[in-house]
mmCIF file of all heavy atoms in Angstrom:
data_model
loop_
_atom_site.group_PDB
_atom_site.id
_atom_site.type_symbol
_atom_site.label_atom_id
_atom_site.label_comp_id
_atom_site.label_asym_id
_atom_site.label_seq_id
_atom_site.Cartn_x
_atom_site.Cartn_y
_atom_site.Cartn_z
ATOM 1 N N TRP A 428 99.612 59.054 49.203
ATOM 2 C CA TRP A 428 98.252 59.367 49.339
ATOM 3 C C TRP A 428 98.093 60.867 49.109
ATOM 4 O O TRP A 428 99.077 61.657 49.524
ATOM 5 C CB TRP A 428 97.793 59.067 50.736
ATOM 6 C CG TRP A 428 97.441 57.683 51.105
ATOM 7 C CD1 TRP A 428 98.193 56.849 51.676
ATOM 8 C CD2 TRP A 428 96.199 57.068 50.734
ATOM 9 N NE1 TRP A 428 97.645 55.609 51.734
ATOM 10 C CE2 TRP A 428 96.346 55.610 51.161
ATOM 11 C CE3 TRP A 428 95.067 57.312 50.077
ATOM 12 C CZ2 TRP A 428 95.212 54.731 51.081
ATOM 13 C CZ3 TRP A 428 93.942 56.396 49.905
ATOM 14 C CH2 TRP A 428 94.087 55.127 50.452
ATOM 15 N N PHE A 429 97.162 61.326 48.265
ATOM 16 C CA PHE A 429 96.907 62.770 48.007
ATOM 17 C C PHE A 429 95.467 63.004 48.182
ATOM 18 O O PHE A 429 94.723 62.030 48.169
ATOM 19 C CB PHE A 429 97.264 63.007 46.533
ATOM 20 C CG PHE A 429 98.640 62.887 46.200
ATOM 21 C CD1 PHE A 429 99.377 61.719 46.002
ATOM 22 C CD2 PHE A 429 99.506 64.125 46.093
ATOM 23 C CE1 PHE A 429 100.747 61.671 45.790
ATOM 24 C CE2 PHE A 429 100.868 64.064 45.979
ATOM 25 C CZ PHE A 429 101.442 62.764 45.662
ATOM 26 N N ARG A 430 95.078 64.233 48.419
ATOM 27 C CA ARG A 430 93.719 64.730 48.471
ATOM 28 C C ARG A 430 93.538 65.920 47.661
ATOM 29 O O ARG A 430 94.390 66.708 47.501
ATOM 30 C CB ARG A 430 93.325 64.874 49.988
ATOM 31 C CG ARG A 430 94.100 66.002 50.646
ATOM 32 C CD ARG A 430 93.694 66.011 52.067
ATOM 33 N NE ARG A 430 94.234 67.122 52.904
ATOM 34 C CZ ARG A 430 94.103 67.280 54.168
ATOM 35 N NH1 ARG A 430 93.463 66.399 54.970
ATOM 36 N NH2 ARG A 430 94.759 68.299 54.710
ATOM 37 N N GLN A 431 92.243 66.099 47.192
ATOM 38 C CA GLN A 431 91.829 67.235 46.493
ATOM 39 C C GLN A 431 90.538 67.683 46.742
ATOM 40 O O GLN A 431 89.570 66.980 46.903
ATOM 41 C CB GLN A 431 91.925 66.813 44.951
ATOM 42 C CG GLN A 431 91.742 67.978 43.952
ATOM 43 C CD GLN A 431 92.211 67.601 42.675
ATOM 44 O OE1 GLN A 431 92.124 66.437 42.220
ATOM 45 N NE2 GLN A 431 92.674 68.678 41.966
ATOM 46 N N ILE A 432 90.466 68.958 46.832
ATOM 47 C CA ILE A 432 89.188 69.773 47.187
ATOM 48 C C ILE A 432 88.831 70.347 45.774
ATOM 49 O O ILE A 432 89.710 70.894 45.054
ATOM 50 C CB ILE A 432 89.264 70.656 48.273
ATOM 51 C CG1 ILE A 432 89.640 69.996 49.625
ATOM 52 C CG2 ILE A 432 88.087 71.622 48.396
ATOM 53 C CD1 ILE A 432 89.916 70.973 50.628
ATOM 54 N N PRO A 433 87.488 70.427 45.358
ATOM 55 C CA PRO A 433 87.286 71.035 44.098
ATOM 56 C C PRO A 433 87.809 72.542 44.042
ATOM 57 O O PRO A 433 87.498 73.191 45.017
ATOM 58 C CB PRO A 433 85.762 70.946 44.053
ATOM 59 C CG PRO A 433 85.443 69.782 44.855
ATOM 60 C CD PRO A 433 86.406 69.791 45.881
ATOM 61 N N GLY A 434 88.351 72.942 42.887
ATOM 62 C CA GLY A 434 88.929 74.268 42.823
ATOM 63 C C GLY A 434 90.241 74.399 43.548
ATOM 64 O O GLY A 434 90.829 75.583 43.342
ATOM 65 N N LYS A 435 90.814 73.359 44.031
ATOM 66 C CA LYS A 435 92.118 73.630 44.585
ATOM 67 C C LYS A 435 93.046 72.532 44.121
ATOM 68 O O LYS A 435 92.660 71.558 43.499
ATOM 69 C CB LYS A 435 92.160 73.405 46.165
ATOM 70 C CG LYS A 435 91.121 74.355 46.839
ATOM 71 C CD LYS A 435 91.198 74.260 48.388
ATOM 72 C CE LYS A 435 92.533 74.660 48.942
ATOM 73 N NZ LYS A 435 92.520 74.497 50.530
ATOM 74 N N GLU A 436 94.320 72.815 44.281
ATOM 75 C CA GLU A 436 95.377 71.912 43.730
ATOM 76 C C GLU A 436 95.332 70.590 44.641
ATOM 77 O O GLU A 436 95.025 70.682 45.818
ATOM 78 C CB GLU A 436 96.805 72.682 43.853
ATOM 79 C CG GLU A 436 96.991 73.836 43.085
ATOM 80 C CD GLU A 436 97.219 73.465 41.623
ATOM 81 O OE1 GLU A 436 97.495 72.366 41.223
ATOM 82 O OE2 GLU A 436 97.019 74.294 40.814
ATOM 83 N N ARG A 437 95.943 69.529 43.935
ATOM 84 C CA ARG A 437 95.975 68.263 44.659
ATOM 85 C C ARG A 437 97.122 68.399 45.748
ATOM 86 O O ARG A 437 98.127 68.879 45.447
ATOM 87 C CB ARG A 437 96.181 67.162 43.705
ATOM 88 C CG ARG A 437 96.252 65.767 44.282
ATOM 89 C CD ARG A 437 96.193 64.761 43.205
ATOM 90 N NE ARG A 437 95.021 64.784 42.456
ATOM 91 C CZ ARG A 437 94.698 63.889 41.434
ATOM 92 N NH1 ARG A 437 95.586 63.022 41.220
ATOM 93 N NH2 ARG A 437 93.620 64.056 40.806
ATOM 94 N N GLU A 438 96.852 67.929 46.854
ATOM 95 C CA GLU A 438 97.629 68.148 48.133
ATOM 96 C C GLU A 438 98.300 66.881 48.476
ATOM 97 O O GLU A 438 97.629 65.820 48.500
ATOM 98 C CB GLU A 438 96.887 68.691 49.229
ATOM 99 C CG GLU A 438 97.737 68.949 50.462
ATOM 100 C CD GLU A 438 96.883 69.458 51.627
ATOM 101 O OE1 GLU A 438 95.502 69.328 51.572
ATOM 102 O OE2 GLU A 438 97.478 69.816 52.691
ATOM 103 N N PHE A 439 99.586 66.882 48.660
ATOM 104 C CA PHE A 439 100.394 65.716 49.187
ATOM 105 C C PHE A 439 99.902 65.474 50.648
ATOM 106 O O PHE A 439 99.911 66.351 51.445
ATOM 107 C CB PHE A 439 101.886 66.036 49.040
ATOM 108 C CG PHE A 439 102.715 64.918 49.704
ATOM 109 C CD1 PHE A 439 102.797 63.704 49.384
ATOM 110 C CD2 PHE A 439 103.272 65.255 51.073
ATOM 111 C CE1 PHE A 439 103.548 62.634 49.921
ATOM 112 C CE2 PHE A 439 104.020 64.316 51.623
ATOM 113 C CZ PHE A 439 104.140 63.041 51.131
ATOM 114 N N VAL A 440 99.602 64.091 50.888
ATOM 115 C CA VAL A 440 99.161 63.795 52.265
ATOM 116 C C VAL A 440 100.473 62.973 53.017
ATOM 117 O O VAL A 440 100.774 63.276 54.128
ATOM 118 C CB VAL A 440 97.959 62.980 52.295
ATOM 119 C CG1 VAL A 440 97.602 62.489 53.627
ATOM 120 C CG2 VAL A 440 96.845 63.873 51.703
ATOM 121 N N ALA A 441 100.724 61.838 52.286
ATOM 122 C CA ALA A 441 101.638 60.966 52.832
ATOM 123 C C ALA A 441 102.427 60.129 51.731
ATOM 124 O O ALA A 441 101.675 59.780 50.664
ATOM 125 C CB ALA A 441 101.132 60.075 54.022
ATOM 126 N N SER A 442 103.480 59.500 52.002
ATOM 127 C CA SER A 442 104.110 58.571 51.133
ATOM 128 C C SER A 442 104.849 57.604 51.837
ATOM 129 O O SER A 442 105.386 57.825 53.015
ATOM 130 C CB SER A 442 104.983 59.273 50.102
ATOM 131 O OG SER A 442 106.034 59.985 50.660
ATOM 132 N N ILE A 443 105.124 56.488 51.254
ATOM 133 C CA ILE A 443 105.749 55.315 51.922
ATOM 134 C C ILE A 443 106.683 54.633 50.778
ATOM 135 O O ILE A 443 106.144 54.348 49.717
ATOM 136 C CB ILE A 443 105.025 54.341 52.669
ATOM 137 C CG1 ILE A 443 105.689 53.367 53.467
ATOM 138 C CG2 ILE A 443 104.036 53.689 51.784
ATOM 139 C CD1 ILE A 443 104.884 52.578 54.511
ATOM 140 N N SER A 444 107.924 54.241 51.059
ATOM 141 C CA SER A 444 108.749 53.556 50.183
ATOM 142 C C SER A 444 108.276 52.061 50.000
ATOM 143 O O SER A 444 107.579 51.635 50.744
ATOM 144 C CB SER A 444 110.177 53.825 50.603
ATOM 145 O OG SER A 444 110.328 53.223 51.790
ATOM 146 N N ARG A 445 109.059 51.453 49.049
ATOM 147 C CA ARG A 445 108.795 50.030 48.737
ATOM 148 C C ARG A 445 108.693 49.205 49.973
ATOM 149 O O ARG A 445 107.668 48.361 50.087
ATOM 150 C CB ARG A 445 109.590 49.461 47.637
ATOM 151 C CG ARG A 445 109.479 50.153 46.308
ATOM 152 C CD ARG A 445 110.488 49.500 45.265
ATOM 153 N NE ARG A 445 110.378 50.068 43.944
ATOM 154 C CZ ARG A 445 111.038 51.096 43.357
ATOM 155 N NH1 ARG A 445 111.854 51.729 44.144
ATOM 156 N NH2 ARG A 445 110.801 51.526 42.260
ATOM 157 N N GLY A 446 109.712 49.219 50.765
ATOM 158 C CA GLY A 446 109.830 48.355 51.881
ATOM 159 C C GLY A 446 109.262 48.967 53.176
ATOM 160 O O GLY A 446 109.291 48.364 54.196
ATOM 161 N N GLY A 447 108.837 50.184 53.033
ATOM 162 C CA GLY A 447 108.202 50.925 54.295
ATOM 163 C C GLY A 447 109.146 51.645 55.092
ATOM 164 O O GLY A 447 108.786 52.135 56.241
ATOM 165 N N SER A 448 110.493 51.706 54.870
ATOM 166 C CA SER A 448 111.445 52.290 55.672
ATOM 167 C C SER A 448 111.524 53.761 55.588
ATOM 168 O O SER A 448 111.984 54.363 56.475
ATOM 169 C CB SER A 448 112.749 51.714 55.284
ATOM 170 O OG SER A 448 113.201 51.899 53.992
ATOM 171 N N SER A 449 110.964 54.305 54.476
ATOM 172 C CA SER A 449 111.032 55.829 54.300
ATOM 173 C C SER A 449 109.644 56.347 54.204
ATOM 174 O O SER A 449 108.759 55.927 53.360
ATOM 175 C CB SER A 449 111.714 56.185 52.969
ATOM 176 O OG SER A 449 111.836 57.575 52.835
ATOM 177 N N ILE A 450 109.302 57.272 55.013
ATOM 178 C CA ILE A 450 107.873 57.712 55.292
ATOM 179 C C ILE A 450 107.939 59.290 55.234
ATOM 180 O O ILE A 450 108.851 59.818 55.914
ATOM 181 C CB ILE A 450 107.118 57.159 56.417
ATOM 182 C CG1 ILE A 450 106.937 55.701 56.188
ATOM 183 C CG2 ILE A 450 105.789 57.816 56.736
ATOM 184 C CD1 ILE A 450 106.342 54.933 57.514
ATOM 185 N N ALA A 451 107.007 59.878 54.555
ATOM 186 C CA ALA A 451 106.836 61.326 54.665
ATOM 187 C C ALA A 451 105.367 61.707 54.853
ATOM 188 O O ALA A 451 104.503 61.039 54.303
ATOM 189 C CB ALA A 451 107.470 62.047 53.415
ATOM 190 N N TYR A 452 105.190 62.832 55.434
ATOM 191 C CA TYR A 452 103.834 63.406 55.526
ATOM 192 C C TYR A 452 103.778 64.855 55.285
ATOM 193 O O TYR A 452 104.734 65.628 55.275
ATOM 194 C CB TYR A 452 103.359 63.336 57.067
ATOM 195 C CG TYR A 452 103.203 61.893 57.534
ATOM 196 C CD1 TYR A 452 104.252 61.256 58.266
ATOM 197 C CD2 TYR A 452 102.014 61.137 57.295
ATOM 198 C CE1 TYR A 452 104.122 59.988 58.770
ATOM 199 C CE2 TYR A 452 101.951 59.863 57.704
ATOM 200 C CZ TYR A 452 102.915 59.221 58.467
ATOM 201 O OH TYR A 452 102.840 57.995 58.914
ATOM 202 N N GLY A 453 102.618 65.306 54.717
ATOM 203 C CA GLY A 453 102.365 66.721 54.615
ATOM 204 C C GLY A 453 102.223 67.431 55.921
ATOM 205 O O GLY A 453 101.783 66.825 56.917
ATOM 206 N N ASP A 454 102.613 68.631 55.951
ATOM 207 C CA ASP A 454 102.533 69.276 57.138
ATOM 208 C C ASP A 454 101.240 69.536 57.872
ATOM 209 O O ASP A 454 101.070 69.410 59.033
ATOM 210 C CB ASP A 454 103.010 70.770 57.039
ATOM 211 C CG ASP A 454 104.481 70.840 56.583
ATOM 212 O OD1 ASP A 454 105.276 69.979 56.948
ATOM 213 O OD2 ASP A 454 105.016 71.939 56.187
ATOM 214 N N SER A 455 100.081 69.403 57.043
ATOM 215 C CA SER A 455 98.786 69.561 57.573
ATOM 216 C C SER A 455 98.291 68.425 58.161
ATOM 217 O O SER A 455 97.297 68.415 58.870
ATOM 218 C CB SER A 455 97.778 69.961 56.335
ATOM 219 O OG SER A 455 97.769 69.042 55.398
ATOM 220 N N VAL A 456 98.903 67.197 58.014
ATOM 221 C CA VAL A 456 98.446 65.981 58.549
ATOM 222 C C VAL A 456 99.379 65.434 59.529
ATOM 223 O O VAL A 456 99.055 64.293 60.284
ATOM 224 C CB VAL A 456 97.996 64.942 57.486
ATOM 225 C CG1 VAL A 456 97.059 65.586 56.538
ATOM 226 C CG2 VAL A 456 99.178 64.386 56.781
ATOM 227 N N LYS A 457 100.623 65.814 59.575
ATOM 228 C CA LYS A 457 101.619 65.278 60.303
ATOM 229 C C LYS A 457 101.162 65.245 61.919
ATOM 230 O O LYS A 457 100.714 66.270 62.399
ATOM 231 C CB LYS A 457 102.960 66.196 60.270
ATOM 232 C CG LYS A 457 104.103 65.430 60.877
ATOM 233 C CD LYS A 457 105.454 66.212 60.643
ATOM 234 C CE LYS A 457 106.542 65.455 61.201
ATOM 235 N NZ LYS A 457 107.835 66.187 60.859
ATOM 236 N N GLY A 458 101.299 64.029 62.519
ATOM 237 C CA GLY A 458 100.852 63.904 63.845
ATOM 238 C C GLY A 458 99.420 63.356 63.981
ATOM 239 O O GLY A 458 99.089 62.721 65.043
ATOM 240 N N ARG A 459 98.695 63.383 62.872
ATOM 241 C CA ARG A 459 97.336 62.827 62.906
ATOM 242 C C ARG A 459 97.110 61.668 62.149
ATOM 243 O O ARG A 459 96.256 60.882 62.376
ATOM 244 C CB ARG A 459 96.397 63.929 62.492
ATOM 245 C CG ARG A 459 96.436 65.306 63.390
ATOM 246 C CD ARG A 459 95.240 66.150 63.011
ATOM 247 N NE ARG A 459 95.388 66.652 61.678
ATOM 248 C CZ ARG A 459 94.509 66.634 60.837
ATOM 249 N NH1 ARG A 459 93.451 66.000 60.946
ATOM 250 N NH2 ARG A 459 94.814 67.158 59.544
ATOM 251 N N PHE A 460 97.877 61.573 60.918
ATOM 252 C CA PHE A 460 97.776 60.580 60.009
ATOM 253 C C PHE A 460 98.918 59.569 60.020
ATOM 254 O O PHE A 460 99.992 60.018 60.234
ATOM 255 C CB PHE A 460 97.599 61.126 58.596
ATOM 256 C CG PHE A 460 96.285 61.898 58.257
ATOM 257 C CD1 PHE A 460 95.362 62.232 59.218
ATOM 258 C CD2 PHE A 460 96.005 62.186 56.992
ATOM 259 C CE1 PHE A 460 94.183 62.758 59.051
ATOM 260 C CE2 PHE A 460 94.841 62.959 56.660
ATOM 261 C CZ PHE A 460 93.893 63.306 57.784
ATOM 262 N N THR A 461 98.713 58.346 59.784
ATOM 263 C CA THR A 461 99.753 57.404 59.648
ATOM 264 C C THR A 461 99.578 56.541 58.354
ATOM 265 O O THR A 461 98.590 56.030 58.122
ATOM 266 C CB THR A 461 99.691 56.443 60.847
ATOM 267 O OG1 THR A 461 99.805 57.300 61.976
ATOM 268 C CG2 THR A 461 100.822 55.551 60.876
ATOM 269 N N ILE A 462 100.599 56.504 57.570
ATOM 270 C CA ILE A 462 100.648 55.685 56.432
ATOM 271 C C ILE A 462 101.337 54.359 56.690
ATOM 272 O O ILE A 462 102.289 54.362 57.490
ATOM 273 C CB ILE A 462 101.394 56.480 55.240
ATOM 274 C CG1 ILE A 462 101.124 55.542 54.021
ATOM 275 C CG2 ILE A 462 102.767 56.758 55.466
ATOM 276 C CD1 ILE A 462 101.550 56.464 52.671
ATOM 277 N N SER A 463 100.914 53.321 56.192
ATOM 278 C CA SER A 463 101.505 51.967 56.318
ATOM 279 C C SER A 463 101.208 51.162 55.041
ATOM 280 O O SER A 463 100.437 51.411 54.296
ATOM 281 C CB SER A 463 100.965 51.373 57.598
ATOM 282 O OG SER A 463 99.515 51.078 57.507
ATOM 283 N N ARG A 464 101.810 49.986 54.918
ATOM 284 C CA ARG A 464 101.579 49.037 53.906
ATOM 285 C C ARG A 464 101.829 47.628 54.259
ATOM 286 O O ARG A 464 102.595 47.308 55.191
ATOM 287 C CB ARG A 464 102.595 49.447 52.707
ATOM 288 C CG ARG A 464 103.986 49.151 52.998
ATOM 289 C CD ARG A 464 104.847 49.685 51.775
ATOM 290 N NE ARG A 464 104.601 49.115 50.572
ATOM 291 C CZ ARG A 464 104.802 49.633 49.358
ATOM 292 N NH1 ARG A 464 105.453 50.850 49.224
ATOM 293 N NH2 ARG A 464 104.497 49.036 48.306
ATOM 294 N N ASP A 465 101.079 46.804 53.624
ATOM 295 C CA ASP A 465 101.326 45.293 53.862
ATOM 296 C C ASP A 465 101.553 44.746 52.420
ATOM 297 O O ASP A 465 100.569 44.514 51.742
ATOM 298 C CB ASP A 465 99.928 44.779 54.456
ATOM 299 C CG ASP A 465 100.137 43.283 54.874
ATOM 300 O OD1 ASP A 465 100.936 42.546 54.151
ATOM 301 O OD2 ASP A 465 99.355 42.902 55.684
ATOM 302 N N ASN A 466 102.768 44.430 52.133
ATOM 303 C CA ASN A 466 103.071 43.898 50.925
ATOM 304 C C ASN A 466 102.559 42.577 50.455
ATOM 305 O O ASN A 466 102.350 42.149 49.334
ATOM 306 C CB ASN A 466 104.572 44.081 50.506
ATOM 307 C CG ASN A 466 105.036 45.554 50.339
ATOM 308 O OD1 ASN A 466 104.176 46.328 49.987
ATOM 309 N ND2 ASN A 466 106.334 45.660 50.635
ATOM 310 N N VAL A 467 102.292 41.785 51.531
ATOM 311 C CA VAL A 467 101.779 40.442 51.420
ATOM 312 C C VAL A 467 100.286 40.540 50.875
ATOM 313 O O VAL A 467 99.826 39.835 50.010
ATOM 314 C CB VAL A 467 101.856 39.679 52.698
ATOM 315 C CG1 VAL A 467 101.121 38.326 52.565
ATOM 316 C CG2 VAL A 467 103.213 39.408 53.133
ATOM 317 N N GLU A 468 99.490 41.574 51.548
ATOM 318 C CA GLU A 468 98.193 41.762 51.037
ATOM 319 C C GLU A 468 98.037 42.638 50.052
ATOM 320 O O GLU A 468 96.915 42.909 49.453
ATOM 321 C CB GLU A 468 97.320 42.347 52.320
ATOM 322 C CG GLU A 468 97.106 41.418 53.474
ATOM 323 C CD GLU A 468 96.060 40.302 53.192
ATOM 324 O OE1 GLU A 468 95.214 40.557 52.293
ATOM 325 O OE2 GLU A 468 96.225 39.213 53.644
ATOM 326 N N ASN A 469 99.110 43.231 49.539
ATOM 327 C CA ASN A 469 99.150 44.334 48.366
ATOM 328 C C ASN A 469 98.115 45.381 48.637
ATOM 329 O O ASN A 469 97.326 45.733 47.848
ATOM 330 C CB ASN A 469 98.660 43.484 47.053
ATOM 331 C CG ASN A 469 99.807 42.796 46.361
ATOM 332 O OD1 ASN A 469 100.985 43.089 46.441
ATOM 333 N ND2 ASN A 469 99.418 41.796 45.616
ATOM 334 N N THR A 470 98.374 45.824 49.816
ATOM 335 C CA THR A 470 97.523 46.948 50.259
ATOM 336 C C THR A 470 98.300 48.018 51.088
ATOM 337 O O THR A 470 99.160 47.683 51.877
ATOM 338 C CB THR A 470 96.376 46.489 51.200
ATOM 339 O OG1 THR A 470 95.620 45.464 50.584
ATOM 340 C CG2 THR A 470 95.401 47.601 51.563
ATOM 341 N N ALA A 471 98.015 49.257 50.831
ATOM 342 C CA ALA A 471 98.473 50.361 51.677
ATOM 343 C C ALA A 471 97.419 50.995 52.457
ATOM 344 O O ALA A 471 96.216 50.930 51.864
ATOM 345 C CB ALA A 471 99.170 51.399 50.739
ATOM 346 N N TYR A 472 97.850 51.677 53.492
ATOM 347 C CA TYR A 472 96.632 52.147 54.437
ATOM 348 C C TYR A 472 96.992 53.628 54.742
ATOM 349 O O TYR A 472 98.105 54.116 54.846
ATOM 350 C CB TYR A 472 96.477 51.394 55.682
ATOM 351 C CG TYR A 472 96.223 49.979 55.436
ATOM 352 C CD1 TYR A 472 97.142 48.927 55.396
ATOM 353 C CD2 TYR A 472 94.777 49.567 55.360
ATOM 354 C CE1 TYR A 472 96.973 47.667 55.197
ATOM 355 C CE2 TYR A 472 94.658 48.180 55.145
ATOM 356 C CZ TYR A 472 95.592 47.212 55.068
ATOM 357 O OH TYR A 472 95.339 45.947 54.864
ATOM 358 N N LEU A 473 96.017 54.290 55.064
ATOM 359 C CA LEU A 473 96.093 55.617 55.634
ATOM 360 C C LEU A 473 95.196 55.819 56.829
ATOM 361 O O LEU A 473 93.916 55.741 56.674
ATOM 362 C CB LEU A 473 95.787 56.799 54.623
ATOM 363 C CG LEU A 473 95.938 58.156 55.154
ATOM 364 C CD1 LEU A 473 97.447 58.486 55.377
ATOM 365 C CD2 LEU A 473 95.326 59.190 54.174
ATOM 366 N N GLN A 474 95.725 55.702 58.083
ATOM 367 C CA GLN A 474 94.959 55.941 59.215
ATOM 368 C C GLN A 474 94.863 57.362 59.538
ATOM 369 O O GLN A 474 95.819 58.069 59.665
ATOM 370 C CB GLN A 474 95.655 55.131 60.411
ATOM 371 C CG GLN A 474 94.818 55.346 61.721
ATOM 372 C CD GLN A 474 93.683 54.623 61.822
ATOM 373 O OE1 GLN A 474 93.416 53.463 61.290
ATOM 374 N NE2 GLN A 474 92.603 55.335 62.314
ATOM 375 N N MET A 475 93.569 57.788 59.639
ATOM 376 C CA MET A 475 93.428 59.247 59.885
ATOM 377 C C MET A 475 92.621 59.456 61.210
ATOM 378 O O MET A 475 91.581 58.909 61.443
ATOM 379 C CB MET A 475 92.502 59.827 58.654
ATOM 380 C CG MET A 475 93.147 59.553 57.344
ATOM 381 S SD MET A 475 92.067 60.341 56.128
ATOM 382 C CE MET A 475 90.581 59.417 56.153
#
């Protein structure tokens, strides 16, 4: 997940590996956002 404000660089928010075992967050959202995925539903989520 990335986010972008007009006039600013695209910012890394969160990432998750194929099986969900490796997760990373940008410093600005760590502790507030949660990334997850459901491979059966073919959907990834970002809880903010």
Side-chain angles (χ1 to χ4, degrees):
W428 286 96
F429 293 79
R430 64 187 184 185
Q431 189 164 28
I432 300 171
K435 299 184 68 176
E436 298 284 341
R437 186 167 297 183
E438 179 186 12
F439 170 73
V440 175
S442 64
I443 186 168
S444 61
R445 291 181 177 91
S448 61
S449 181
I450 294 174
Y452 295 98
D454 290 341
S455 63
V456 306
K457 190 174 184 179
R459 299 187 298 123
F460 291 9
T461 302
I462 189 171
S463 62
R464 65 189 299 161
D465 186 335
N466 286 339
V467 175
E468 291 290 329
N469 279 331
T470 304
Y472 302 94
L473 184 69
Q474 178 67 45
M475 305 185 295

